[in-house]
Structure formats: structure tokens, C-alpha cells
Amino acid sequence: MDITAAGFDAGIRLMEDVPQDMVAIALGGPLNFITVASPAYLAAHAPIKQPQDLLQQQCIRHRLPSGKRYRWEFEKAGERCELDVPGAMTLDNNALMTRAAISGLGVAYVPSLYAEAALQSGQLVELLAEWRVQSAGMALWFPPNQHQSMALRLFIDALKNSLPRQS
């Protein structure tokens, strides 16, 4: 996507999805993607021991901004797999996906920060922990050598001042 042609100064996406010819500023650290479900859902459905078991489950699917459904990614000891999981519900918001999982509507695949509180309270259980995937995290990205608006320059300066310093 050409963000400037679309009328935007910058975009935000996963660091590994930023085009290589763009400038990227990390927005925090790495993200772990985890698979979760409620205890009630797990009690009523077949056990999930490996990623392929998800193909027989009700999953809460994720629609990307492009309109495509996100294929769940898993990795264990160098073995990788991607699954287009089944499910009657497709959402485009990680917080809503987490709430749907807490409500027992299915299995969700979300960044761990969305599920931490529910995991600690026992409302959710992590599945396939040995298959976790880690992302480099989110990034603000924009074209190099392009005139930056004053608003974008001020936003970048504020962002750099607010992010933890790396040693």
C-alpha cells in the first residue's frame, strides 16, 4: 500500500510487515501471539494438543485491514505452520476477540497483552504455549526522503521522547 498516495503521512503495523524501503520506528518491544480459550469452552470441546486440532474447533477469526482473514501462525523448534482456522465469528479487533473468547464463543489467537488479565484471573487458558510466535512488535512507518508534515515531525519527536531508551 502506498500510504502517501492514500493521503496518509505514516502508518502503524507489525515491524516485520513494514516494507524494506520505508523508515520504521519501533513502538515498544516484541509481541507474543498466544492461543486462548475459556475453561467452559475447553470443557465442552475436544482437547487441543497441536495446531492442527484447531481445524476441528470454533475459532474466533481475525480480519485484517486489507479485508483478508489472518492465517494463524505457529512455530515450535524450527517447525512452522499457518492455518486458516474455521469459525462462525470473524472480528477485526484484538480486544473484542479476547472478550469473545472469555464469553466461551471459541478459541482466539491474540497478542498476549490483550489476554494477560483474563489469564491471571482464570477466565482464559493459554493453549499450545510451546507453539507461540513472537513478533518484533509494532512500528510507525513512513517513506524516506519525503517531506514530512509538521504534525508528523512533532509526533515522531514526542514518540522518541516517550519510548524507553535502549542501551
Side-chain angles (χ1 to χ4, degrees), residues 54-124:
L54 294 166
L55 297 174
Q56 268 66 108
Q57 301 289 329
Q58 275 298 319
C59 297
I60 301 160
R61 301 185 302 176
H62 187 163
R63 184 161 315 278
L64 298 170
S66 67
K68 289 175 44 180
R69 278 197 318 266
Y70 179 74
R71 294 174 57 89
W72 294 11
E73 301 174 70
F74 298 94
E75 183 172 0
K76 175 183 173 184
E79 180 183 350
R80 293 186 56 85
C81 74
E82 287 186 15
L83 297 173
D84 186 7
V85 296
M89 180 178 289
T90 303
L91 301 170
D92 65 356
N93 180 290
N94 287 306
L96 288 176
M97 292 165 48
T98 303
R99 292 179 61 97
I102 291 168
S103 297
L105 298 176
V107 181
Y109 183 83
V110 295
S112 60
L113 60 100
Y114 286 92
E116 286 172 353
L119 289 167
Q120 290 177 2
S121 70
Q123 293 176 292
L124 288 176

Side-chain angles (χ1 to χ4, degrees), residues 27-58:
L27 301 175
L31 291 174
N32 287 308
F33 285 84
I34 62 173
T35 308
V36 295
S38 71
Y41 176 89
L42 294 172
H45 293 83
I48 301 168
K49 305 263 189 224
Q50 59 186 1
Q52 290 74 15
D53 294 339
L54 294 166
L55 297 174
Q56 268 66 108
Q57 301 289 329
Q58 275 298 319

